[in-house]
Amino acid sequence: MKPLRTILFYLLAVLGLSACKEASSPAGWKAGIAQVKTTPAESMWLAGYAARDHASEGTSQDLWAKALVLEDSTGYRSVLVTLDVVGITKDLADRIRKELNTRLGLTPAQIILNCSHTHSGPVLPGILTDIYPLSEEEEEKINRYGVFFEKQIIDVVLKASRSLEPVSLHAANGVARMQVNRRNNSERDLSRQTELKGPNDFAVPVLKVTGRSGQLKAIVFGYACHPTVLDGYSWSGDWPGYARETLEKRYPGVVTLFFQGAGGDQNPLPRRTVPLAKQHGVTIAAAVDRVLQEDMTALPPTLKTAYREISLPLDVPPSEDALNEMIRTTNDYRARWAKRILEQIRKGEPLPEACPYGLQAWNIGGWPLFALGGELTVGYAIRLKRTYGEHAFVLGYTNDVMAYIPTAVILEEGGYEGRTSMMAFGLPAPWLPGIEELICKSMEEVAGQAGISGGNDSPAER
């Protein structure tokens, strides 16, 4: 019996040492993934195009809210939420972030709410409402949907946070030349052009989430381009929705999340038909698939986040004479905007002189991600990448879509993105010159807080 007891003792000792070794080994990434449909249950006005004159007529594609919760080796978490809407207000983002802080202990630095900016999604309370001639009944629908939408976002994050499991993360950039700078190229003359003009960012950022045995769990991808192929009356994710569908057919059971980049001045051209929306979606999906088939950079399980709000100053509002002239000479959203501003002036109500603006940075295993609010124009992505490397992920349309964010050049040139779009968003005046330097200088501080330093080399090259 003695030899048998000795053998058992040594076996137990070996097993115990093995278990201790496994328990003491460094933890890796964990991720939780969830998605929920947000397609309206009733006919409502679609957001994005001022030319529409009635509510929705059906569904071409379901709309989604999707969440990816990440946890690093220390237990520190963040969540990326992608939404099929034209934009959200800061009020909505603040309520969601407050609830997630109460329920999960997450701060604004740990939460990204990114909007795809599809122009075939529903109107939300407080966003672009001057554009649409809404009846009281339609406004009630919008408010009801807003309550439902907010709850769906909170629920999908909670669901994702309950499904954490060990994963690996990999990152890389693909390329697709589908975007066209709409300020420098005429849609009408595009078929005759032999070269595209103006700044662009053709990167297709990809983050791959795989399980313990290497199976693909989620694909996070982005691109900087307006989802404005479709201008009809059916709910649709537009080309990002078709890109997701294509990838989900290629990888059954995998959750796909799309984030919008600095696409404020980038259009998908040509456009206006469903087959073209599908073509553009397939183009982006092919770029993502190519990245997934090649070597990607493995990201170590470290996560650091930072967030800051700054104040962007507005210029002087139009005079009462100019507002009256606009009311007299126009009969669309510009007249509704002018009447509202004029009424505020005559009542003595103060007009905003500035607007809060959120800046966010995530350091995901050494890989930089920047998220900025508003309809971010592509020059910001170009500038950030020059400072922090071409591999950096840059997101616009995050947490608050309050207006276009023009570069200094666009602001000086004027036009829709530089000046007149402020009316569509309900702001009383364009931005003051100097906002580009203010944003980029402030982002340097946010990046530093997230441990992101300048340099053109990727983590793989370092």
Side-chain angles (χ1 to χ4, degrees), residues 206-288:
V206 181
L207 182 69
K208 178 176 70 172
V209 183
T210 55
R212 179 171 280 173
S213 60
Q215 74 277 25
L216 191 58
K217 292 283 187 178
I219 304 167
V220 183
F221 68 101
Y223 194 61
C225 184
H226 262 67
T228 52
V229 179
L230 305 176
D231 57 359
Y233 291 87
S234 294
W235 305 122
S236 174
D238 207 281
W239 67 259
Y242 287 112
R244 291 195 309 245
E245 282 188 4
T246 303
L247 288 167
E248 286 162 4
K249 288 177 182 176
R250 173 79 171 83
Y251 300 98
V254 171
V255 177
T256 59
L257 298 88
F258 168 79
F259 62 78
Q260 184 59 254
D265 49 354
Q266 307 297 309
N267 268 1
L269 298 180
R271 56 181 180 167
R272 306 296 181 190
T273 70
V274 172
L276 277 170
K278 291 180 178 179
Q279 175 185 324
H280 294 318
V282 169
T283 296
I284 300 301
V288 174

Side-chain angles (χ1 to χ4, degrees), residues 179-184 197-203 223-226 260-267 372 374-386 394 396-397 404-407 410 417 436 440:
Q179 63 175 213
V180 177
N181 192 303
R182 69 189 191 191
R183 290 180 61 85
N184 303 98
K197 301 174 182 177
N200 301 91
D201 177 17
F202 297 121
Y223 194 61
C225 184
H226 262 67
Q260 184 59 254
D265 49 354
Q266 307 297 309
N267 268 1
L372 301 90
E375 296 209 43
L376 195 70
T377 51
V378 78
Y380 286 92
I382 294 170
R383 182 163 174 173
L384 284 168
K385 290 184 177 187
R386 283 175 181 163
V394 181
Y397 300 84
Y404 276 83
I405 307 299
T407 59
I410 292 175
E417 296 87 354
E436 179 181 343
C440 292

Side-chain angles (χ1 to χ4, degrees), residues 47 85 90 107 175 198 211 220 257 319 376 396:
V85 289
K90 185 177 185 297
T107 67
V175 63
V220 183
L257 298 88
S319 66
L376 195 70

